Amino acid sequence: MAKATSSLADTPSSPLGLAVIISGRGSNMLAIARASQAGQLNARVLQVIADRDSAAGIAAAQALGLATQVIPAKSFPDKASFETALAEAIDASGATLVVLAGFMRILSAEFTARYAGRLLNIHPSLLPAYKGLHTHERVLAAGEASHGVTVHYVTAELDGGPLLLQARIAVRPGDTADTLAARVQQREHIIYPRVIDWLATGRLQWRNGEPWLDGAALRQPVILEEHES
Ligand code: GRF
């Protein structure tokens, strides 16, 4: 059960344990795992879990020596029983923080409440704009001048939890959904490990349902501009 006020870094010297949940190729999972293995992040990926056999990220995780597990959602009779199995696997791993990284399922209110304050997601838009799917196509169709990606806490509201860190990029003439996706992904691999570092070092805390960064309530996300790293 989540504490009302919680630092995930109660023992700053021990690495923050992560369960990373994927559905696809897992490039964010790999960026986090590599930062951890390179000693740039005081966190350790304890378990990589995929909801489908076809997730290419599972083999990539194994190549890095990570523990992996596939919990095929389609083999469960309903969402509740899948989520029960997922929660059991997360808890059995000993992970403190649950990292959704290209996980293509909508989680129930029960699941998000169970992991309140220790469940993160990355979404390829500058939330609250462009929740949901096909964000690059929709940004282009709307003629937006800028686009980006957001790391946020997960709550019961889809893509609606408190925003933590965003990377903003310019939309360039001639951009396609693919070129935008590629530039967004480069930034994803910077900002996701960074937010995990904030948690691992105790800079980011969850207090009474709100994120606090460096001792102040974080009501607007921190924004990393394109020229910043
Ligand atoms: C990323 O674009 C992320 O923003 C979205 O799903 C994609 C996952 O990519 N939630 P990968 O599997 O981490 O490469």
Side-chain angles (χ1 to χ4, degrees):
M1 189 57 70
K3 292 177 280 180
T5 297
S6 66
S7 167
L8 300 188
D10 286 338
T11 316
S13 55
S14 63
L16 178 65
L18 313 178
V20 186
I21 320 297
I22 65 170
S23 297
R25 70 185 149 176
S27 72
N28 280 283
M29 173 273 296
L30 293 170
I32 292 161
R34 288 189 181 117
S36 159
Q37 291 182 349
Q40 296 158 355
L41 192 56
N42 191 25
R44 182 173 302 151
V45 178
L46 299 177
Q47 188 80 40
V48 177
I49 302 171
D51 65 338
R52 56 195 74 178
D53 296 319
S54 58
I58 288 292
Q62 288 168 349
L64 282 188
L66 303 175
T68 64
Q69 190 170 355
V70 177
I71 303 177
K74 65 181 183 199
S75 70
F76 290 84
D78 52 34
K79 181 177 178 136
S81 54
F82 166 70
E83 288 189 348
T84 298
L86 181 60
E88 282 173 5
I90 291 167
D91 296 347
S93 76
T96 304
L97 181 68
V98 183
V99 178
L100 305 181
F103 179 64
M104 298 304 289
R105 275 174 202 283
I106 297 173
L107 293 164
S108 68
E110 291 73 23
F111 190 95
T112 58
R114 177 183 181 128
Y115 294 102
R118 50 197 198 97
L119 180 58
L120 296 181
N121 185 41
I122 189 160
H123 178 78
S125 77
L126 296 173
L127 291 172
Y130 300 102
K131 295 176 179 178
L133 298 173
H134 308 301
T135 58
H136 312 306
E137 289 86 348
R138 288 155 60 208
V139 161
L140 286 172
E144 300 282 6
S146 58
H147 184 31
V149 55
T150 304
V151 176
H152 64 96
Y153 277 119
V154 178
T155 62
E157 188 193 341
L158 181 65
D159 298 329
L163 311 180
L164 300 170
L165 178 58
Q166 295 184 319
R168 179 157 48 201
I169 64 166
V171 178
R172 299 179 189 158
D175 260 332
T176 64
D178 286 347
T179 62
L180 272 185
R183 291 212 305 291
V184 163
Q185 278 239 305
Q186 286 175 357
R187 305 304 277 170
E188 293 185 352
H189 300 163
I190 293 171
I191 69 170
Y192 220 169
R194 185 157 306 172
V195 171
I196 294 167
D197 179 65
W198 289 353
L199 287 164
T201 56
R203 288 183 61 191
L204 178 62
Q205 300 183 354
W206 181 253
R207 298 188 190 173
N208 299 314
E210 243 190 343
W212 282 58
L213 183 64
D214 297 332
L218 185 65
R219 303 237 158 81
Q220 302 287 333
V222 175
I223 297 181
L224 193 67
E225 299 295 351
E226 206 159 6
H227 62 273
E228 295 173 319
S229 57

